[in-house]
Amino acid sequence: MQVRIYRGTHQIGGCVTEVKTNTSRIIIDMGEELPSAIRMEHSPLEIDGVTNGKPDCNAVLITHYHGDHVGMFERILPQIPVYMGKVAKQIFAVVQSTLKSKLNKGNPDKVRTFNEYIIGKPLSFGDIKVTPFTIDHSAFDAYMLLIEADSKKILHTGDFRMHGARGGKMPAVFEKYCKDIDVLITEGTMLSRTDEKVVTEHELGAQADKLLRKNKYVFALCSSTNIDTIAELYNAALKTDKPFIICENEFQGEILKIVTQNTTSSFYDFNRRKIYVYGKNLHGLMAEKGFFFLGRTNNVTQKAIANFPNNLFIYSMWNGYLDKRHPAFDEYKNDFINSAIHGGSKMVYLHTSGHAGIDEIKKVCEITNAKTVIPIHSEKPEMLKELGIKSNIVILQDNEILTI
Ligand SMILES: [Zn+2]
Ligand SMILES: [Zn+2]
């Protein structure tokens, strides 16, 4: 069996991995490079039999809906089946529909043709068997894939962590289903961000609860698809009896509806209290009861902030976007926040990473008892060698083939 990382060995994002036997071939993720990637290849990735030429690939398996894992899906040849999580697919279709209606980009119709995983149910692609398991990540309904062929086992983690809502269950899942792995392909985002403190989503929720009690008017900025953080904020609003307000229904409201319809957990049930969609008609209620407003960097949120200038503004996104020295610096976001601060907002930073901290990466290597570990999705994959992990650590270059 052969493993080849087309892209993503030395950058965060742009991930495309191939697993191939003599007769079968699968691709895991078809990601776009992040504009902030330090070692960006820029040129569009061409893979013979996958993006061009005669179709020669059993399936493309997407781990989750972040653009750096699925952004190039439109380039997959139409004859090749694509797989994704059932709820992830619905959320991604909303993202694509919004892109289409606002920017005339995106392809929700193709997304709707994706096949869906059933958790723990193996899929067969020729002589390659793939079993999908849900994994904890800031994208909802994300998967790791256990790949078996030629009497060998590969575990591809996708992006993961162990400090989100599902984090506590992860060690037991690895222990039960993913032992004695021959090759572990793990994400290593945090290998270059060792100074970042990893708090749990639950700790974040407890902090939010305190902040909501102390402040009458609260705005927050967080990724619209980071469901764990949004659920923590929703629960904090519920406990502190503050109306939960979103800036528009078509996108954010639709995503929360999909999550609610597909969950049995009360934590993710966004129907427990009315979600208000912002409009001037709410000003009376907002002034009287206070509120929690889940904003976006758009005009609607800006107007709402201007109407309630003495507010607390929770910034719940990665702080690299606001760091002028970082390639990921986002000028629009930075200006948006600065204008809120000038208008009277008091800003606090309350965020936790979607990625595994150093200790969590180490833990997965140990629990799975991996013989070989390949780090991907990392700017400093070599750092994995410094962690005292017993496995054989292989640093691949993009396009290099490893035969196992
Ligand atoms: Zn990623
Ligand atoms: Zn991700």
Side-chain angles (χ1 to χ4, degrees):
M1 181 163 44
Q2 287 182 343
V3 174
R4 176 172 178 175
I5 318 291
Y6 281 95
R7 217 170 46 190
T9 60
H10 287 78
Q11 63 170 294
I12 294 171
C15 294
V16 182
T17 300
E18 175 185 271
V19 175
K20 197 174 169 181
T21 64
N22 287 336
T23 54
S24 313
R25 180 192 197 195
I26 57 167
I27 296 282
I28 297 128
D29 285 339
M30 191 48 80
E32 216 156 36
E33 291 183 290
L34 291 173
S36 57
I38 282 169
R39 260 181 64 173
M40 202 173 169
E41 304 296 331
H42 293 287
S43 55
L45 189 64
E46 295 286 353
I47 307 175
D48 220 25
V50 180
T51 64
N52 56 279
K54 201 168 136 255
D56 176 27
C57 175
N58 295 64
V60 175
L61 306 155
I62 304 294
T63 57
H64 63 287
Y65 52 61
H66 285 155
D68 58 320
H69 298 259
V70 66
M72 288 203 316
F73 75 97
E74 287 182 79
R75 306 208 28 240
I76 302 167
L77 292 170
Q79 298 87 343
I80 302 172
V82 182
Y83 285 75
M84 200 181 197
K86 179 183 168 214
V87 190
K89 176 179 143 181
Q90 291 178 54
I91 293 174
F92 190 51
V94 171
V95 172
Q96 289 293 308
S97 294
T98 308
L99 274 175
K100 193 162 187 187
S101 63
K102 295 208 167 146
L103 301 170
N104 205 19
K105 294 201 303 196
N107 190 345
D109 293 338
K110 181 163 170 94
V111 175
R112 289 189 195 101
T113 68
F114 289 1
N115 299 284
E116 296 164 4
Y117 298 130
I118 297 174
I119 302 163
K121 186 166 180 225
L123 296 158
S124 287
F125 304 107
D127 60 352
I128 303 178
K129 183 170 119 179
V130 180
T131 315
F133 296 101
T134 35
I135 195 152
D136 185 32
H137 183 41
S138 47
F140 196 71
D141 195 29
Y143 288 80
M144 62 174 169
L145 303 169
L146 177 66
I147 301 152
E148 295 167 87
D150 295 350
S151 313
K152 295 271 165 60
K153 284 195 221 174
I154 299 174
L155 181 68
H156 191 299
T157 62
D159 284 357
F160 84 101
R161 62 179 174 179
M162 294 203 226
H163 52 271
R166 282 167 231 79
K169 290 181 188 148
M170 289 317 304
V173 174
F174 284 115
E175 185 78 47
K176 190 166 177 193
Y177 302 104
C178 309
K179 284 294 269 188
D180 301 322
I181 296 296
D182 293 288
V183 177
L184 171 70
I185 302 170
T186 178
E187 75 126 301
T189 315
M190 299 291 261
L191 293 170
S192 60
R193 297 180 187 170
T194 44
D195 51 339
E196 241 176 76
K197 193 174 168 263
V198 174
V199 296
T200 66
E201 286 284 357
H202 203 60
E203 283 163 351
L204 181 146
Q207 282 292 333
D209 187 292
K210 274 188 204 158
L211 291 169
L212 264 68
R213 279 177 210 283
K214 280 192 203 146
N215 297 275
K216 190 172 181 188
Y217 307 145
V218 183
F219 288 88
L221 206 57
C222 110
S223 158
S224 309
T225 59
N226 185 346
I227 307 302
D228 279 11
T229 295
I230 295 173
E232 289 291 355
L233 295 170
Y234 178 80
N235 280 284
L238 228 67
K239 275 191 247 160
T240 55
D241 201 24
K242 276 188 156 59
F244 185 88
I245 302 171
I246 55 176
C247 58
E248 35 69 23
N249 205 21
E250 297 76 33
F251 183 60
Q252 187 69 78
E254 201 53 41
I255 288 171
L256 299 182
K257 200 166 104 191
I258 291 168
V259 173
T260 302
Q261 279 167 350
N262 285 284
T263 185
T264 50
S265 150
S266 69
F267 176 72
Y268 291 119
D269 177 1
F270 293 97
N271 260 348
R272 281 171 290 157
R273 177 95 51 88
K274 181 180 167 66
I275 292 182
Y276 295 89
V277 179
Y278 178 70
K280 277 186 185 161
N281 59 318
L282 292 183
H283 282 185
L285 172 88
M286 290 164 81
E288 187 201 332
K289 291 206 76 178
F291 58 83
F292 173 82
F293 189 116
L294 180 65
R296 301 185 64 203
T297 42
N298 61 14
N299 290 341
V300 179
T301 305
Q302 206 151 28
K303 273 184 201 152
I305 291 173
N307 275 294
F308 295 89
N310 294 316
N311 61 67
L312 180 81
F313 189 109
I314 298 176
Y315 179 71
S316 186
M317 289 175 131
W318 182 48
N319 52 15
Y321 298 133
L322 305 183
D323 181 351
K324 284 197 171 110
R325 295 159 306 170
H326 202 283
F329 175 67
D330 185 329
E331 199 170 351
Y332 182 63
K333 218 170 249 143
N334 195 53
D335 288 353
F336 185 92
I337 287 163
N338 278 338
S339 89
I341 293 169
H342 285 133
S345 297
K346 187 170 72 179
M347 190 180 118
V348 289
Y349 178 66
L350 185 62
H351 176 61
T352 189
S353 177
H355 302 285
I358 300 292
D359 292 343
E360 293 169 334
I361 296 173
K362 201 173 164 186
K363 205 168 176 177
V364 171
C365 296
E366 284 166 1
I367 303 178
T368 57
N369 200 19
K371 284 197 192 104
T372 296
V373 180
I374 303 172
I376 60 167
H377 203 278
S378 178
E379 281 163 358
K380 285 193 185 161
E382 302 79 14
M383 267 289 291
L384 195 63
K385 291 188 173 172
E386 314 289 314
L387 305 185
I389 296 164
K390 286 190 201 112
S391 321
N392 173 34
I393 294 177
V394 176
I395 310 294
L396 288 182
Q397 299 300 320
D398 285 2
N399 272 316
E400 192 182 337
I401 293 171
L402 177 79
T403 304
I404 51 170

mmCIF file of all heavy atoms in Angstrom, residues 285-312:
data_model
loop_
_atom_site.group_PDB
_atom_site.id
_atom_site.type_symbol
_atom_site.label_atom_id
_atom_site.label_comp_id
_atom_site.label_asym_id
_atom_site.label_seq_id
_atom_site.Cartn_x
_atom_site.Cartn_y
_atom_site.Cartn_z
ATOM 1 N N LEU A 285 -36.953 45.678 23.524
ATOM 2 C CA LEU A 285 -36.648 44.464 24.294
ATOM 3 C C LEU A 285 -35.166 44.435 24.691
ATOM 4 O O LEU A 285 -34.816 44.121 25.836
ATOM 5 C CB LEU A 285 -36.973 43.232 23.428
ATOM 6 C CG LEU A 285 -36.547 41.891 23.994
ATOM 7 C CD1 LEU A 285 -37.639 41.310 24.887
ATOM 8 C CD2 LEU A 285 -36.230 40.887 22.881
ATOM 9 N N MET A 286 -34.310 44.801 23.754
ATOM 10 C CA MET A 286 -32.875 44.770 24.005
ATOM 11 C C MET A 286 -32.492 45.754 25.114
ATOM 12 O O MET A 286 -31.683 45.441 25.990
ATOM 13 C CB MET A 286 -32.094 45.100 22.714
ATOM 14 C CG MET A 286 -32.179 44.005 21.662
ATOM 15 S SD MET A 286 -31.669 44.563 20.013
ATOM 16 C CE MET A 286 -29.896 44.466 20.121
ATOM 17 N N ALA A 287 -33.090 46.955 25.061
ATOM 18 C CA ALA A 287 -32.771 47.971 26.067
ATOM 19 C C ALA A 287 -33.274 47.539 27.445
ATOM 20 O O ALA A 287 -32.616 47.759 28.462
ATOM 21 C CB ALA A 287 -33.401 49.304 25.668
ATOM 22 N N GLU A 288 -34.405 46.906 27.458
ATOM 23 C CA GLU A 288 -34.999 46.524 28.756
ATOM 24 C C GLU A 288 -34.306 45.311 29.386
ATOM 25 O O GLU A 288 -33.895 45.325 30.539
ATOM 26 C CB GLU A 288 -36.486 46.228 28.535
ATOM 27 C CG GLU A 288 -37.241 45.998 29.831
ATOM 28 C CD GLU A 288 -38.545 45.223 29.611
ATOM 29 O OE1 GLU A 288 -39.110 45.331 28.497
ATOM 30 O OE2 GLU A 288 -38.968 44.518 30.525
ATOM 31 N N LYS A 289 -34.163 44.242 28.584
ATOM 32 C CA LYS A 289 -33.676 42.978 29.157
ATOM 33 C C LYS A 289 -32.178 42.764 29.005
ATOM 34 O O LYS A 289 -31.611 41.846 29.582
ATOM 35 C CB LYS A 289 -34.397 41.798 28.473
ATOM 36 C CG LYS A 289 -35.871 41.723 28.842
ATOM 37 C CD LYS A 289 -36.404 40.314 28.714
ATOM 38 C CE LYS A 289 -35.956 39.427 29.860
ATOM 39 N NZ LYS A 289 -36.454 38.088 29.841
ATOM 40 N N GLY A 290 -31.513 43.606 28.187
ATOM 41 C CA GLY A 290 -30.131 43.287 27.826
ATOM 42 C C GLY A 290 -30.189 42.189 26.782
ATOM 43 O O GLY A 290 -31.276 41.722 26.404
ATOM 44 N N PHE A 291 -29.040 41.732 26.298
ATOM 45 C CA PHE A 291 -29.075 40.708 25.243
ATOM 46 C C PHE A 291 -27.704 40.085 25.037
ATOM 47 O O PHE A 291 -26.683 40.614 25.483
ATOM 48 C CB PHE A 291 -29.528 41.349 23.918
ATOM 49 C CG PHE A 291 -28.642 42.489 23.464
ATOM 50 C CD1 PHE A 291 -27.466 42.261 22.758
ATOM 51 C CD2 PHE A 291 -28.985 43.816 23.782
ATOM 52 C CE1 PHE A 291 -26.657 43.316 22.355
ATOM 53 C CE2 PHE A 291 -28.165 44.875 23.386
ATOM 54 C CZ PHE A 291 -26.996 44.614 22.671
ATOM 55 N N PHE A 292 -27.744 38.948 24.334
ATOM 56 C CA PHE A 292 -26.513 38.386 23.785
ATOM 57 C C PHE A 292 -26.694 38.365 22.267
ATOM 58 O O PHE A 292 -27.649 37.771 21.766
ATOM 59 C CB PHE A 292 -26.249 36.961 24.304
ATOM 60 C CG PHE A 292 -25.075 36.364 23.593
ATOM 61 C CD1 PHE A 292 -23.790 36.650 23.998
ATOM 62 C CD2 PHE A 292 -25.252 35.585 22.460
ATOM 63 C CE1 PHE A 292 -22.698 36.175 23.287
ATOM 64 C CE2 PHE A 292 -24.169 35.096 21.745
ATOM 65 C CZ PHE A 292 -22.883 35.394 22.165
ATOM 66 N N PHE A 293 -25.804 38.987 21.548
ATOM 67 C CA PHE A 293 -25.922 39.138 20.097
ATOM 68 C C PHE A 293 -24.773 38.403 19.421
ATOM 69 O O PHE A 293 -23.615 38.762 19.597
ATOM 70 C CB PHE A 293 -25.892 40.639 19.758
ATOM 71 C CG PHE A 293 -26.204 40.995 18.328
ATOM 72 C CD1 PHE A 293 -27.339 41.755 18.030
ATOM 73 C CD2 PHE A 293 -25.377 40.591 17.286
ATOM 74 C CE1 PHE A 293 -27.630 42.109 16.707
ATOM 75 C CE2 PHE A 293 -25.668 40.928 15.978
ATOM 76 C CZ PHE A 293 -26.786 41.681 15.683
ATOM 77 N N LEU A 294 -25.111 37.349 18.672
ATOM 78 C CA LEU A 294 -24.088 36.616 17.918
ATOM 79 C C LEU A 294 -23.919 37.303 16.567
ATOM 80 O O LEU A 294 -24.740 37.156 15.681
ATOM 81 C CB LEU A 294 -24.527 35.163 17.734
ATOM 82 C CG LEU A 294 -23.554 34.259 16.968
ATOM 83 C CD1 LEU A 294 -22.242 34.088 17.728
ATOM 84 C CD2 LEU A 294 -24.181 32.882 16.732
ATOM 85 N N GLY A 295 -22.856 38.073 16.457
ATOM 86 C CA GLY A 295 -22.686 38.919 15.272
ATOM 87 C C GLY A 295 -21.820 38.300 14.201
ATOM 88 O O GLY A 295 -21.292 37.196 14.344
ATOM 89 N N ARG A 296 -21.726 39.019 13.103
ATOM 90 C CA ARG A 296 -20.792 38.695 12.025
ATOM 91 C C ARG A 296 -20.154 40.014 11.606
ATOM 92 O O ARG A 296 -20.669 41.080 11.936
ATOM 93 C CB ARG A 296 -21.529 38.060 10.845
ATOM 94 C CG ARG A 296 -22.268 36.790 11.238
ATOM 95 C CD ARG A 296 -22.877 36.117 10.019
ATOM 96 N NE ARG A 296 -21.827 35.669 9.104
ATOM 97 C CZ ARG A 296 -22.023 35.459 7.794
ATOM 98 N NH1 ARG A 296 -23.203 35.669 7.266
ATOM 99 N NH2 ARG A 296 -21.044 35.040 7.033
ATOM 100 N N THR A 297 -19.072 39.953 10.873
ATOM 101 C CA THR A 297 -18.458 41.223 10.443
ATOM 102 C C THR A 297 -19.269 41.772 9.260
ATOM 103 O O THR A 297 -18.857 41.651 8.112
ATOM 104 C CB THR A 297 -16.986 41.021 10.024
ATOM 105 O OG1 THR A 297 -16.915 39.823 9.258
ATOM 106 C CG2 THR A 297 -16.048 40.934 11.190
ATOM 107 N N ASN A 298 -20.436 42.309 9.559
ATOM 108 C CA ASN A 298 -21.279 42.868 8.489
ATOM 109 C C ASN A 298 -21.984 44.144 8.961
ATOM 110 O O ASN A 298 -21.887 44.520 10.134
ATOM 111 C CB ASN A 298 -22.286 41.821 7.988
ATOM 112 C CG ASN A 298 -23.224 41.355 9.087
ATOM 113 O OD1 ASN A 298 -23.319 41.969 10.151
ATOM 114 N ND2 ASN A 298 -23.925 40.266 8.847
ATOM 115 N N ASN A 299 -22.679 44.787 8.033
ATOM 116 C CA ASN A 299 -23.328 46.071 8.340
ATOM 117 C C ASN A 299 -24.391 45.952 9.415
ATOM 118 O O ASN A 299 -24.558 46.838 10.230
ATOM 119 C CB ASN A 299 -24.011 46.631 7.079
ATOM 120 C CG ASN A 299 -22.983 47.069 6.083
ATOM 121 O OD1 ASN A 299 -21.821 47.279 6.446
ATOM 122 N ND2 ASN A 299 -23.389 47.198 4.823
ATOM 123 N N VAL A 300 -25.135 44.829 9.376
ATOM 124 C CA VAL A 300 -26.233 44.659 10.344
ATOM 125 C C VAL A 300 -25.662 44.677 11.763
ATOM 126 O O VAL A 300 -26.161 45.382 12.655
ATOM 127 C CB VAL A 300 -26.972 43.319 10.080
ATOM 128 C CG1 VAL A 300 -28.086 43.115 11.086
ATOM 129 C CG2 VAL A 300 -27.512 43.280 8.661
ATOM 130 N N THR A 301 -24.596 43.910 11.977
ATOM 131 C CA THR A 301 -23.983 43.856 13.309
ATOM 132 C C THR A 301 -23.429 45.234 13.679
ATOM 133 O O THR A 301 -23.583 45.692 14.825
ATOM 134 C CB THR A 301 -22.861 42.798 13.333
ATOM 135 O OG1 THR A 301 -23.412 41.555 12.888
ATOM 136 C CG2 THR A 301 -22.283 42.618 14.724
ATOM 137 N N GLN A 302 -22.813 45.889 12.708
ATOM 138 C CA GLN A 302 -22.244 47.225 12.960
ATOM 139 C C GLN A 302 -23.322 48.218 13.417
ATOM 140 O O GLN A 302 -23.109 48.977 14.354
ATOM 141 C CB GLN A 302 -21.594 47.726 11.677
ATOM 142 C CG GLN A 302 -20.490 48.729 11.933
ATOM 143 C CD GLN A 302 -19.438 48.670 10.824
ATOM 144 O OE1 GLN A 302 -19.762 48.303 9.695
ATOM 145 N NE2 GLN A 302 -18.209 49.015 11.148
ATOM 146 N N LYS A 303 -24.489 48.150 12.757
ATOM 147 C CA LYS A 303 -25.592 49.049 13.135
ATOM 148 C C LYS A 303 -26.058 48.761 14.556
ATOM 149 O O LYS A 303 -26.313 49.673 15.345
ATOM 150 C CB LYS A 303 -26.768 48.861 12.169
ATOM 151 C CG LYS A 303 -26.647 49.745 10.943
ATOM 152 C CD LYS A 303 -27.875 49.606 10.065
ATOM 153 C CE LYS A 303 -27.532 50.045 8.648
ATOM 154 N NZ LYS A 303 -28.334 49.394 7.634
ATOM 155 N N ALA A 304 -26.184 47.465 14.865
ATOM 156 C CA ALA A 304 -26.640 47.079 16.206
ATOM 157 C C ALA A 304 -25.658 47.568 17.261
ATOM 158 O O ALA A 304 -26.067 48.089 18.311
ATOM 159 C CB ALA A 304 -26.809 45.560 16.280
ATOM 160 N N ILE A 305 -24.371 47.438 16.981
ATOM 161 C CA ILE A 305 -23.340 47.894 17.929
ATOM 162 C C ILE A 305 -23.466 49.404 18.137
ATOM 163 O O ILE A 305 -23.404 49.903 19.259
ATOM 164 C CB ILE A 305 -21.921 47.512 17.427
ATOM 165 C CG1 ILE A 305 -21.728 45.994 17.488
ATOM 166 C CG2 ILE A 305 -20.841 48.206 18.256
ATOM 167 C CD1 ILE A 305 -20.429 45.485 16.869
ATOM 168 N N ALA A 306 -23.685 50.126 17.036
ATOM 169 C CA ALA A 306 -23.793 51.585 17.130
ATOM 170 C C ALA A 306 -25.000 52.002 17.979
ATOM 171 O O ALA A 306 -24.976 53.035 18.654
ATOM 172 C CB ALA A 306 -23.902 52.181 15.726
ATOM 173 N N ASN A 307 -26.057 51.178 17.979
ATOM 174 C CA ASN A 307 -27.239 51.501 18.778
ATOM 175 C C ASN A 307 -27.074 51.180 20.260
ATOM 176 O O ASN A 307 -27.811 51.685 21.092
ATOM 177 C CB ASN A 307 -28.465 50.762 18.228
ATOM 178 C CG ASN A 307 -29.102 51.541 17.099
ATOM 179 O OD1 ASN A 307 -29.628 52.622 17.302
ATOM 180 N ND2 ASN A 307 -28.996 51.008 15.894
ATOM 181 N N PHE A 308 -26.137 50.303 20.576
ATOM 182 C CA PHE A 308 -25.888 49.955 21.987
ATOM 183 C C PHE A 308 -24.380 50.064 22.261
ATOM 184 O O PHE A 308 -23.696 49.069 22.463
ATOM 185 C CB PHE A 308 -26.400 48.536 22.292
ATOM 186 C CG PHE A 308 -27.886 48.410 22.159
ATOM 187 C CD1 PHE A 308 -28.470 48.086 20.941
ATOM 188 C CD2 PHE A 308 -28.714 48.660 23.256
ATOM 189 C CE1 PHE A 308 -29.848 47.993 20.805
ATOM 190 C CE2 PHE A 308 -30.092 48.571 23.129
ATOM 191 C CZ PHE A 308 -30.665 48.238 21.902
ATOM 192 N N PRO A 309 -23.855 51.313 22.231
ATOM 193 C CA PRO A 309 -22.399 51.484 22.236
ATOM 194 C C PRO A 309 -21.699 51.001 23.515
ATOM 195 O O PRO A 309 -20.561 50.562 23.443
ATOM 196 C CB PRO A 309 -22.222 52.994 22.036
ATOM 197 C CG PRO A 309 -23.524 53.616 22.366
ATOM 198 C CD PRO A 309 -24.579 52.596 22.137
ATOM 199 N N ASN A 310 -22.377 51.083 24.632
ATOM 200 C CA ASN A 310 -21.688 50.649 25.870
ATOM 201 C C ASN A 310 -21.861 49.153 26.062
ATOM 202 O O ASN A 310 -22.596 48.689 26.902
ATOM 203 C CB ASN A 310 -22.244 51.403 27.073
ATOM 204 C CG ASN A 310 -21.900 52.866 26.956
ATOM 205 O OD1 ASN A 310 -20.770 53.217 26.603
ATOM 206 N ND2 ASN A 310 -22.892 53.722 27.175
ATOM 207 N N ASN A 311 -21.166 48.408 25.248
ATOM 208 C CA ASN A 311 -21.366 46.952 25.292
ATOM 209 C C ASN A 311 -20.068 46.228 25.572
ATOM 210 O O ASN A 311 -18.986 46.810 25.498
ATOM 211 C CB ASN A 311 -21.924 46.492 23.951
ATOM 212 C CG ASN A 311 -20.964 46.809 22.817
ATOM 213 O OD1 ASN A 311 -19.877 46.241 22.744
ATOM 214 N ND2 ASN A 311 -21.346 47.732 21.938
ATOM 215 N N LEU A 312 -20.214 44.941 25.852
ATOM 216 C CA LEU A 312 -19.040 44.069 25.934
ATOM 217 C C LEU A 312 -18.950 43.331 24.604
ATOM 218 O O LEU A 312 -19.945 42.791 24.121
ATOM 219 C CB LEU A 312 -19.204 43.061 27.078
ATOM 220 C CG LEU A 312 -18.004 42.126 27.217
ATOM 221 C CD1 LEU A 312 -16.884 42.794 27.986
ATOM 222 C CD2 LEU A 312 -18.403 40.824 27.903
#
